[in-house]
Amino acid sequence: MDYHPWKKGTNYLIRTVTMIDIGQLVEVTDQELVLEKASWIADTGRFNEALKNGTLNEVEPFPDGLVIVGRGSIIDACEWNHALPRTVK
């Protein structure tokens, strides 16, 4: 695999063309990112506040297990320096 900036074991907020996921990166392939302890974020509220403080308006956790995100769908991503949101909100 070529160089990539992803760091396994790091928590990420990933914006795709249709949704936002937050989770811990466990694997990187040529076509996918694989997350654990992931949640779909239906509403971040003020995006800046979400990134700065970890506050989110609506959270829908995935069941325990792996979540696979197609790398071709990613718009942007950043490290999530807060606890992973795992409670429905």
Side-chain angles (χ1 to χ4, degrees), residues 4 6-12 14 23-28 32-36:
H4 60 75
W6 305 103
K7 296 180 270 184
K8 286 194 229 177
T10 299
N11 298 335
Y12 285 97
I14 301 171
Q24 183 179 55
L25 183 66
V26 295
E27 189 63 48
V28 180
E32 294 98 8
L33 299 179
V34 182
L35 305 175
E36 283 186 332

Side-chain angles (χ1 to χ4, degrees), residues 15-82:
R15 289 196 300 179
T16 72
V17 294
T18 59
M19 61 193 324
I20 297 173
D21 294 327
I22 294 177
Q24 183 179 55
L25 183 66
V26 295
E27 189 63 48
V28 180
T29 73
D30 289 338
Q31 299 297 316
E32 294 98 8
L33 299 179
V34 182
L35 305 175
E36 283 186 332
K37 303 176 210 152
S39 293
W40 167 51
I41 308 306
D43 181 2
T44 63
R46 299 287 304 189
F47 192 64
N48 177 44
E49 293 298 314
L51 295 176
K52 188 166 80 174
N53 301 323
T55 55
L56 301 162
N57 283 354
E58 293 184 48
V59 176
E60 295 286 344
F62 286 96
D64 289 341
L66 302 178
V67 173
I68 301 166
V69 179
R71 289 176 68 179
S73 70
I74 296 172
I75 295 170
D76 59 23
C78 59
E79 291 184 19
W80 181 255
N81 298 312
H82 312 284

